[in-house]
Structures are given as structure tokens and as C-alpha cells.
């Protein structure tokens, strides 16, 4: 069954477009419907992006008016003049870094072309259409729904996935057996990408904020996840049981129960240092297999240390 879903951006676009047309029409501007088109083109997903787009479209629109004067009045009002104008206009917008305004400018340029004469009243009309269209878009774009609830949910999901992965590591270290399909690895990777993108969007909806706790948090988890991905092949290569495996398993088990936004990393770093000292005081390996196993475990401990340092830096 077809279900119609209407998002907040769609609602803003509808309200803004209607409002821009109504205002332009009430001011008796020519081609008043174009104000709605400009508004529709200017609605963006973030406040910062909205401001950047507004600037680009207004500057490009003014440049379009200037080019219209030189090419249409200087040459003639002919389709070839439009092609020649665009041949120079588009590279100019690229040089000015306002390419987002090409579509808006095309509307303005075609208005001048259809008028067959460029007058001050026409320039006023087109500038007002841009001001109304861009202004209404900025106004409706000032409302952005809070995404903090979604970010907290992503945070919970990531921590749950990390916890499951660590529990699987603990199980393998203790039993040398695993029926785990590893689906949490793919889920964690995908969740982190989506969470970081949403956190970045949240930053761009705050004009005075260049960095956000949630963005730093998910970037931290992303770096930790890279370490987890390196550790898993190392763990799976271990087949020889030594005493140190159970010690590390107990440590990981305790760590997995303490995965949360708070900073517990310093405590676990100290525990890890104590465990490393205990390893140094234990008898040297007697066989090659034991030596290789303990070497792999030491490598694993160093990776865990980096994992915890990353968290402590948050």
C-alpha cells in the first residue's frame, strides 16, 4: 500500500514558495511566480548551507543582470546572444565560486531577454524578485528540528554494538570457539557513518559552533572501530591457550560492561599497565607456540591501549 510521507523540508518548501509568490504578487512585480521558484531553489538542509546558497544566488543574479545588459543591449536580443552570454557567464560564476546561483540567474536572464529592453524598472523588478525569493527561503530555513534525540539513539546503538563485539572476543579467548557471524561489524560501520553525517549536519545548523560534542564522539568511536577491525584478525589467529588469555579476557569483559559516553578510559589504562607488569613477572614461554601466542597477545594489549587512549582524549 502506498504511504505518503511528508518531511519538514517539504513543508518548508511549500510554505516558503507560496509565501514568496504571494508577497511578490502583492507588490505587483512582473513575473511574480519566479520569486517562488527562487525560494524553492534556495531551501537547504542546514542553516549554514542556506546562507552560502543565498549569497551565491544573489551574487550570481547580479552578475547575470550585468551580463544581460552587455550582451543583449550591446549585441541584440537573439537566441545566439543567450548562448554567447552563457559561454562567458558560467565560467565567471565558477571563478567567483557562486555556481549554485546559475539556475536562479538563468531565470533573471530570460526575464530580461523576454522584455526585449533593459530598463531601471526591470532591474528593480528582478532584484526585488531575488530579495523576496532568497529572503523567504532564509526565513523558513531558520527552523531546523532538533536531532539530539536521534544522535543519542545512534550513540546507544554504537555502544551496544561495541559491547557485543567485545563479548564475542571474550568468548573466543576463553573457549577458543566462536559461532559469531560478525554482522555487528557491518552494522557498526554503517551506523557510525550515518551518525557522523547527522552530527556534522547538526554543526551546520548552529552558526557560532565549529565543532560539536556528538561529532567528536562519533569520530572518536570511528577511530576506535578501526582498531577493533585490526584486532579481530589478530584474535582469530590465536589457537594456543596460555594463562594470559584468560587475564585479557577478564579485562575485556569488564571493559565491555563499562562502554558508555563517560570517561572511564583512565581507570582501564591503569589496569592495563598493571596487567603488563604481571606479564613481565611471569615465566618465559617454553615452546614456540606459547611464544607466538604471547607475542600476539602483547600486540593485542598494545592495540587496546591505543583504543583507550583515544577515548581518554575525548
Amino acid at each position: 500500500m502506498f504511504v505518503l510521507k511528508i518531511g519538514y523540508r517539504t513543508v518548508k518548501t511549500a510554505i516558503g514558495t507560496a509565501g514568496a509568490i504571494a508577497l511578490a504578487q502583492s507588490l505587483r512585480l512582473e513575473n511574480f511566480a519566479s520569486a517562488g521558484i527562487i525560494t524553492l531553489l534556495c531551501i537547504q538542509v542546514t542553516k549554514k548551507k542556506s546562507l552560502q546558497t543565498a549569497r551565491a544566488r544573489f551574487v550570481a543574479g547580479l552578475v547575470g543582470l550585468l551580463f544581460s545588459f552587455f550582451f543583449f543591449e550591446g549585441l541584440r536580443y537573439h537566441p545566439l546572444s543567450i548562448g554567447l552570454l552563457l559561454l562567458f557567464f558560467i565560467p565567471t560564476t565558477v571563478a567567483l565560486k557562486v555556481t549554485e546561483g546559475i539556475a536562479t540567474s538563468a531565470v533573471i536572464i530570460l526575464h530580461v531577454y523576454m522584455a526585449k529592453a533593459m530598463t531601471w524598472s526591470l532591474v528593480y523588478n528582478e532584484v526585488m524578485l531575488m530579495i523576496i525569493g532568497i529572503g523567504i527561503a532564509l526565513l523558513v530555513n531558520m527552523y531546523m528540528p532538533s536531532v539530539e534525540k536521534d544522535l543519542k539513539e545512534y550513540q546507544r546503538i554504537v555502544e551496544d554494538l561495541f559491547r557485543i563485539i567485545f563479548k564475542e572476543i571474550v568468548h573466543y579467548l576463553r573457549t577458543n570457539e566462536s559461532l559469531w557471524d560478525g554482522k555487528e561489524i557491518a552494522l557498526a560501520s554503517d551506523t557510525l557513518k550515518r551518525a557522523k553525517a547527522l552530527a556534522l549536519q547538526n554543526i551546520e545548523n548552529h552558526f557560532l559552533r565549529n565543532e560539536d560534542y556528538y561529532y567528536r564522539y562519533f569520530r572518536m568511536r570511528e577511530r576506535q572501530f578501526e582498531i577493533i577491525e585490526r584486532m579481530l584478525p589478530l584474535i582469530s589467529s590465536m589457537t594456543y591457550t596460555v594463562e594470559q588469555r584468560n587475564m585479557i579476557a577478564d579485562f575485556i569483559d569488564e571493559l565491555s560492561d563499562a562502554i558508555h559516553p563517560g570517561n572511564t578510559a583512565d581507570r582501564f589504562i591503569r589496569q592495563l599497565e598493571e596487567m603488563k607488569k604481571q606479564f613481565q613477572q611471569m615465566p618465559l614461554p617454553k615452546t614456540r607456540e606459547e611464544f607466538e601466542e604471547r607475542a600476539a597477545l602483547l600486540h593485542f594489549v598494545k592495540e587496546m591501549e591505543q583504543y583507550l587512549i583515544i577515548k581518554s582524549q575525548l
Side-chain angles (χ1 to χ4, degrees):
M1 182 178 176
F2 176 73
V3 179
L4 185 65
K5 295 181 70 175
I6 301 176
Y8 75 92
R9 189 179 176 192
T10 302
V11 173
K12 290 196 300 183
T13 301
I15 293 172
T17 301
I21 292 173
L23 180 58
Q25 188 173 4
S26 69
L27 294 174
R28 301 183 182 280
L29 297 177
E30 296 291 330
N31 301 303
F32 55 80
S34 296
I37 295 173
I38 294 171
T39 296
L40 190 148
L41 292 170
C42 288
I43 299 293
Q44 298 296 319
V45 294
T46 68
K47 292 179 182 178
K48 285 186 179 180
K49 183 66 176 174
S50 181
L51 280 175
Q52 292 167 0
T53 300
R55 172 193 167 275
R57 294 190 188 283
F58 190 72
V59 171
L62 294 178
V63 173
L65 282 172
L66 187 64
F67 273 55
S68 296
F69 174 76
F70 284 115
F71 282 87
F72 294 148
E73 293 291 333
L75 298 175
R76 54 184 296 203
Y77 287 83
H78 190 276
L80 288 177
S81 298
I82 296 177
L84 191 61
L85 183 155
L86 293 175
L87 195 64
F88 289 92
F89 173 71
I90 293 174
T92 301
T93 60
V94 173
L96 294 174
K97 298 180 179 178
V98 292
T99 53
E100 288 176 311
I102 291 175
T104 305
S105 303
V107 173
I108 304 302
I109 290 167
L110 291 176
H111 285 174
V112 177
Y113 176 77
M114 289 186 293
K116 300 296 182 183
M118 195 163 184
T119 62
W120 283 112
S121 62
L122 177 64
V123 172
Y124 169 80
N125 188 86
E126 299 308 310
V127 171
M128 285 301 296
L129 287 176
M130 286 193 293
I131 290 173
I132 292 170
I134 294 170
I136 294 293
L138 283 174
L139 187 64
V140 297
N141 244 17
M142 286 302 100
Y143 168 73
M144 290 290 176
S146 174
V147 295
E148 186 164 348
K149 184 179 178 181
D150 295 327
L151 289 169
K152 282 185 179 294
E153 180 61 13
Y154 275 133
Q155 193 175 48
R156 184 194 64 78
I157 293 170
V158 168
E159 289 171 359
D160 285 346
L161 291 170
F162 274 35
R163 192 173 296 110
I164 292 170
I165 293 169
F166 278 137
K167 291 295 184 183
E168 291 294 336
I169 291 174
V170 170
H171 178 73
Y172 183 79
L173 286 172
R174 287 175 175 167
T175 65
N176 228 13
E177 297 175 354
S178 178
L179 297 175
W180 183 42
D181 58 8
K183 66 179 181 180
E184 285 78 13
I185 298 296
L187 281 172
S189 177
D190 181 61
T191 303
L192 282 167
K193 286 177 184 176
R194 287 187 280 118
K196 201 170 75 165
L198 185 61
L200 186 60
Q201 179 181 318
N202 190 46
I203 293 173
E204 292 192 346
N205 279 327
H206 297 85
F207 297 122
L208 302 177
R209 187 186 301 175
N210 293 320
E211 195 170 4
D212 180 77
Y213 162 75
Y214 287 105
Y215 182 80
R216 288 186 290 111
Y217 173 84
F218 289 118
R219 177 65 187 124
M220 177 271 293
R221 289 300 187 195
E222 190 177 54
R223 291 170 62 198
Q224 286 186 319
F225 183 67
E226 291 170 1
I227 292 177
I228 290 173
E229 287 186 305
R230 290 202 304 265
M231 290 192 303
L232 288 174
L234 182 64
I235 290 294
S236 63
S237 68
M238 298 178 188
T239 57
Y240 190 80
T241 302
V242 293
E243 184 181 354
Q244 288 85 351
R245 277 182 70 155
N246 287 324
M247 295 171 64
I248 292 174
D250 291 341
F251 174 81
I252 301 298
D253 198 17
E254 185 181 350
L255 177 63
S256 66
D257 292 330
I259 296 176
H260 57 75
N263 185 17
T264 57
D266 292 339
R267 173 167 67 90
F268 283 104
I269 289 173
R270 289 193 297 270
Q271 284 184 225
L272 206 59
E273 287 299 322
E274 287 297 319
M275 188 164 61
K276 285 163 66 178
K277 289 177 183 178
Q278 291 177 33
F279 287 173
Q280 292 171 357
Q281 294 169 2
M282 297 175 79
L284 294 173
K286 295 181 173 61
T287 64
R288 178 173 178 171
E289 290 82 1
E290 185 182 354
F291 173 80
E292 290 176 347
E293 187 83 355
R294 287 175 63 173
L297 286 169
L298 184 60
H299 185 187
F300 178 81
V301 167
K302 288 182 178 178
E303 291 284 16
M304 280 306 307
E305 190 173 27
Q306 286 302 310
Y307 172 94
L308 292 168
I309 288 172
I310 289 170
K311 177 65 183 296
S312 68
Q313 291 172 347
L314 178 67

